[in-house]
Amino acid sequence: MIYLDNAATSYQKPEAVYQAVQEAMHHMGNSGRGAHGASLDASRQIYSARELLAELFHAGDPSRVAFTANSTESLNMAVFGLFGPGDHVITTMLEHNSVLRPLYLLEEAGLELTILPADQNGCICYENIEKAVRPNTKGIICTHASNLTGNMVDIGRIGRFCRKKGLLFVVDASQTAGVFDINMEEMGIDVLCFTGHKGLLGPQGTGGICVRQGVAVRPLIVGGSGVHSYSKAHPEDMPTALEAGTLNGHGIAGLYAALRYIKETGMEQIRERELSLMRQFYDGVRTIPGVTIYGDFTGQRAPIVSLNIRDYDSGEVADELAYHYEIYTRAGAHCAPLMHRALGTEGTGAVRFSMSHFNTEAEIDEAVRAVHEIAEG
């Protein structure tokens, strides 16, 4: 089996991740819910993971990192915890439904929403951001990289603009965390949302939200916290403010092992490997008659190539790849409806190939061969 669906979830994990989860299930108690050894062991591992994440994203104090189940939960926290009726928020057509649907719900309640258009290559025009600002604009929320095209957004440029205008800046790093450099301070990011199971190489059910010092996010969920149990109000201090209930300690132990692997291997080495494999695939399929590739391949981008073959439905192509070639990809809408509208692929969807540094050149060659044979019909 050749797995090329890493934008959905990383399939191959470092061996240390499997071992860490198993050991945690044997030994870990409930963090913050006791003073015995098992509870303290959980607290130490979870705090160590916070430290590595704060270091990775240049978030400052590790307490500004709160754990969630995934990017969707983190983005819901950010949207509902920062914005409300009467506010104006700017976003883009590149966004995943994890950004769009919470914003649509708030729009029904009185939020004003501007969605910046994308061109046929899936790129936004940055000059449109300044034109979109209103007196009641409170913030901008956008992805770091499109999960459909792999196009990357210059979040540093947008962040500097937000700082200049006094706007909140929320970034969805689902497709870039663990692979691309993210510096919250230098890039002007107020809230960074990420998942643990993609580029960070951790288990599913892990993710997080990093909140800059001085920014307060209203909690999405309140309840048990392990502290201030007699208070009617949920604790306001980070990270407890955004961590109601028992954390996925077993998963976070695996995420901690993955973070150590990334640090030891080197994020730059991982990124160069993945982009090299992406470019190998792109160069192999871009001249095949009947193949249409989407996105901008002239600048920095995530290791993703989405395409269609002739007028075939993307689901049929993905099935053919899976059943006859044992190549696993993702087809359909990819939870990115506005991006498909910009690309003109609402009817067919697209077949997405997304690479990991665990893939090999031979696997990429086989994927190119498969696309060629399907296109020949």
Side-chain angles (χ1 to χ4, degrees):
M1 182 266 286
I2 298 173
Y3 187 85
L4 294 173
D5 193 19
N6 292 280
T9 193
S10 55
Y11 178 77
Q12 294 168 283
K13 314 283 187 182
E15 188 62 33
V17 173
Y18 307 126
Q19 295 172 358
V21 173
Q22 186 175 34
E23 286 183 19
M25 295 187 74
H26 280 294
H27 303 294
M28 185 178 281
N30 197 332
S31 174
R33 270 63 168 185
H36 51 76
S39 176
L40 293 175
D41 179 58
S43 295
R44 281 190 288 267
Q45 286 213 45
I46 289 170
Y47 185 76
S48 294
R50 284 192 217 282
E51 285 186 309
L52 286 184
L53 286 164
E55 178 184 340
L56 180 66
F57 299 132
H58 300 270
D61 185 350
S63 70
R64 305 305 296 179
V65 180
F67 287 106
T68 64
N70 45 53
S71 286
T72 298
E73 184 178 351
S74 301
L75 288 162
N76 272 261
M77 281 184 176
V79 171
F80 292 114
L82 293 172
F83 309 120
D87 293 333
H88 174 237
V89 174
I90 300 169
T91 190
T92 80
M93 291 185 77
L94 279 68
E95 308 311 314
H96 190 278
N97 274 334
S98 297
V99 171
L100 295 174
R101 285 176 172 167
L103 288 173
Y104 291 153
L105 278 176
L106 277 183
E107 189 177 30
E108 292 177 3
L111 178 86
E112 296 177 24
L113 180 62
T114 295
I115 301 176
L116 301 177
D119 62 23
Q120 291 185 334
N121 284 325
C123 300
I124 62 169
C125 175
Y126 294 95
E127 285 72 21
N128 287 335
I129 297 175
E130 187 164 3
K131 297 175 184 177
V133 174
R134 305 172 185 173
N136 62 331
T137 302
K138 189 171 183 182
I140 298 175
I141 178 169
C142 72
T143 188
H144 191 191
S146 166
N147 73 315
L148 175 56
T149 65
N151 290 358
M152 292 189 67
V153 174
D154 188 346
I155 56 175
R157 178 174 179 174
I158 298 176
R160 289 189 294 272
F161 175 79
C162 287
R163 288 283 171 90
K164 179 181 177 182
K165 296 292 184 178
L167 305 177
L168 291 169
F169 186 35
V170 180
V171 173
D172 173 8
S174 299
Q175 296 297 333
T176 55
V179 181
F180 291 88
D181 295 320
I182 299 174
N183 188 315
M184 290 185 65
E185 180 59 35
E186 289 185 1
M187 294 177 168
I189 301 169
D190 293 296
V191 178
L192 183 75
C193 301
F194 63 92
T195 195
H197 68 100
K198 298 184 183 186
L200 288 174
L201 304 175
Q204 295 178 5
T206 61
I209 179 170
C210 300
V211 183
R212 182 177 63 81
Q213 188 74 41
V215 175
V217 177
R218 293 185 301 272
L220 185 67
I221 303 170
V222 297
S225 61
V227 294
H228 305 312
S229 294
Y230 291 102
S231 172
K232 290 183 178 180
H234 193 77
E236 295 180 357
D237 293 334
M238 285 285 288
T240 312
L242 302 180
E243 288 183 347
T246 296
L247 294 174
N248 177 11
H250 303 145
I252 295 170
L255 178 60
Y256 174 53
L259 290 164
R260 291 180 61 183
Y261 169 86
I262 291 170
K263 185 174 182 179
E264 292 165 3
T265 304
M267 190 166 59
E268 182 178 355
Q269 181 176 329
I270 291 172
R271 178 172 63 252
E272 288 180 355
R273 171 69 176 170
E274 293 184 358
L275 292 176
S276 174
L277 294 171
M278 179 272 295
R279 185 62 62 173
Q280 178 188 343
F281 179 76
Y282 172 72
D283 288 340
V285 300
R286 65 188 178 90
T287 58
I288 298 175
V291 171
T292 302
I293 299 174
Y294 305 101
D296 180 8
F297 286 80
T298 62
Q300 190 180 46
R301 55 179 294 101
I304 291 170
V305 179
S306 289
L307 57 80
N308 276 318
I309 300 176
R310 302 193 184 280
D311 59 351
Y312 302 154
D313 180 80
S314 62
E316 294 177 354
V317 173
D319 287 346
E320 180 78 6
L321 287 165
Y323 297 140
H324 290 89
Y325 297 93
E326 290 191 275
I327 297 172
Y328 292 176
T329 60
R330 168 115 187 249
H334 309 89
C335 303
L338 300 185
M339 191 78 271
H340 279 285
R341 184 183 303 171
L343 299 175
T345 52
E346 288 179 286
T348 59
V351 185
R352 183 182 67 192
F353 297 75
S354 47
M355 293 69 185
S356 162
H357 70 293
F358 288 116
N359 288 125
T360 67
E361 286 85 355
E363 289 177 332
I364 300 302
D365 285 339
E366 180 64 15
V368 171
R369 183 181 71 83
V371 171
H372 202 286
E373 290 183 359
I374 294 172
E376 285 183 336

